[in-house]
Amino acid sequence: MQILIVHAHEEHHSFNAAMKNLAVATLEEQGHRVVVSDLYGMKFKAVADGEDFLERRDKSYLKRQMEEKAAMELGTLAHDIVIEQQKLLAADLVILQFPLWWFGLPAILKGWVDRVMTMGFAYGAGMRYDQGGLKGRRAMLALTTGGPESTYTDTGMSGSMDQILFPIQHGILYFCGLQPLPPFVAYGPAHQSDEQRRAELARYHQRLLALDTLEPLPFHPLAHYDERGQLRPEWLT
Ligand SMILES: Cc1cc2nc3c(=O)[nH]c(=O)nc-3n(C[C@H](O)[C@H](O)[C@H](O)COP(=O)(O)OP(=O)(O)OC[C@H]3O[C@@H](n4cnc5c(N)ncnc54)[C@H](O)[C@@H]3O)c2cc1C
């Protein structure tokens, strides 16, 4: 399979970089084709603005989603966005590799989402969730934290990791049609011993070898919701 790793860490010797390098080596060894978008290395433009459109449909008022849709049709999206979209279309699996920043994506990765997941490409009218523009593909979050695992629970001070990741896994990946696999979280690598960190990398290695056997997270398809966006009674547990 073809795998796109979107890597969002500026330090080549970071634990995130070690995870990314391990993924490339492991997956290539398994016979997969791996493409890496190293966002800092590419100096990826993180801010969505009018320069993302080679021509503007409406020069007097910037309404981003309308410009995105028009630019998709006219082929006037900025070149760096088109390249990332082509990588997504060619991928069977997308891995987002990042450190958790302020309980979310680092700005450069959020900017990649803002600019690349355009209307008319990743989502649009009738094109969302299981019908999203990237359907048929899987995705996985591979992330690190500063805080320990014990704080990322329902009763822990950071709150449940499932809830923290819901906007990314459901609101971004699944919204665009990608089927998210269970995330891989390396908790607090900076506070671990070298031995513990090596064990974490070994655990990630096992996860990478098991990718084919993983079931996607059980999110509801569009058909399970009524016209008000409410789960139909038969799907309420
Ligand atoms: C703006 C900002 C916001 C943040 N918000 C949050 C937040 O909301 N929640 C939270 O929990 N944390 C938060 N953090 C902390 C952040 O998530 C962690 O610092 C980060 O996830 C740690 O990952 P890293 O790759 O940067 O680790 P690094 O500090 O780069 O690496 C940790 C250690 O691993 C070592 N290492 C590297 N490669 C290997 C290898 N191959 N084998 C063994 N060891 C290796 C490194 O030498 C280093 O000693 C935030 C940090 C910032 C800057």
Side-chain angles (χ1 to χ4, degrees):
M1 84 181 146
Q2 175 130 333
I3 298 164
L4 171 63
I5 301 178
V6 185
H7 175 61
H9 202 295
E10 73 247 77
E11 171 55 56
H12 294 307
H13 300 105
S14 65
F15 196 76
N16 272 267
M19 288 177 69
K20 182 262 293 174
N21 294 338
L22 175 69
V24 173
T26 306
L27 296 169
E28 284 183 347
E29 216 173 272
Q30 295 290 301
H32 302 300
R33 198 170 120 65
V34 184
V35 173
V36 178
S37 282
D38 173 0
L39 299 184
Y40 281 98
M42 293 154 65
K43 299 198 186 305
F44 188 79
K45 173 177 174 280
V47 178
D49 60 22
E51 296 193 359
D52 293 339
F53 311 106
L54 304 182
E55 277 173 36
R56 284 269 296 278
R57 197 192 60 145
D58 182 347
K59 293 192 178 67
S60 65
Y61 191 107
L62 179 52
K63 178 90 178 144
R64 187 166 184 94
Q65 287 171 309
M66 296 303 105
E67 292 295 341
E68 285 180 353
K69 208 159 157 280
M72 284 297 303
E73 286 157 14
L74 299 170
T76 51
L77 266 179
H79 194 51
D80 64 334
I81 297 177
V82 175
I83 289 174
E84 295 307 300
Q85 290 184 339
Q86 286 168 348
K87 291 180 194 171
L88 277 168
L89 290 178
D92 303 295
L93 170 70
V94 182
I95 297 177
L96 301 186
Q97 176 68 57
F98 62 97
L100 192 69
W101 276 11
W102 295 115
F103 296 90
L105 299 175
I108 199 165
L109 182 53
K110 176 58 166 47
W112 181 88
V113 172
D114 290 345
R115 295 184 63 236
V116 175
M117 302 298 214
T118 55
M119 187 180 227
F121 169 74
Y123 72 97
M127 234 171 93
R128 57 201 170 115
Y129 299 113
D130 56 309
Q131 301 303 318
L134 294 169
K135 69 180 176 193
R137 296 168 180 80
R138 300 184 302 159
M140 184 174 80
L141 302 182
L143 63 140
T144 59
T145 69
E149 185 167 11
S150 56
T151 66
Y152 282 97
T153 62
D154 284 339
T155 52
M157 67 172 72
S158 304
S160 135
M161 187 54 90
D162 285 347
Q163 280 182 25
I164 290 165
L165 298 183
F166 184 81
I168 306 171
Q169 299 191 125
H170 190 271
I172 297 173
L173 301 176
Y174 187 54
F175 187 77
C176 297
L178 294 158
Q179 291 185 301
L181 300 177
F184 184 92
V185 187
Y187 288 96
H191 308 291
Q192 292 180 326
S193 65
D194 245 348
E195 196 185 338
Q196 287 172 317
R197 285 193 286 263
R198 277 198 294 273
E200 274 302 273
L201 291 173
R203 192 171 68 90
Y204 189 43
H205 182 69
Q206 289 307 315
R207 162 61 71 93
L208 292 163
L209 295 179
L211 283 178
D212 281 343
T213 66
L214 294 174
E215 284 297 319
L217 299 176
F219 293 141
H220 288 278
L222 265 186
H224 288 191
Y225 295 94
D226 66 17
E227 59 288 345
R228 293 178 311 127
Q230 289 288 308
L231 269 183
R232 295 180 191 281
E234 61 268 34
W235 299 110
L236 293 172
T237 48

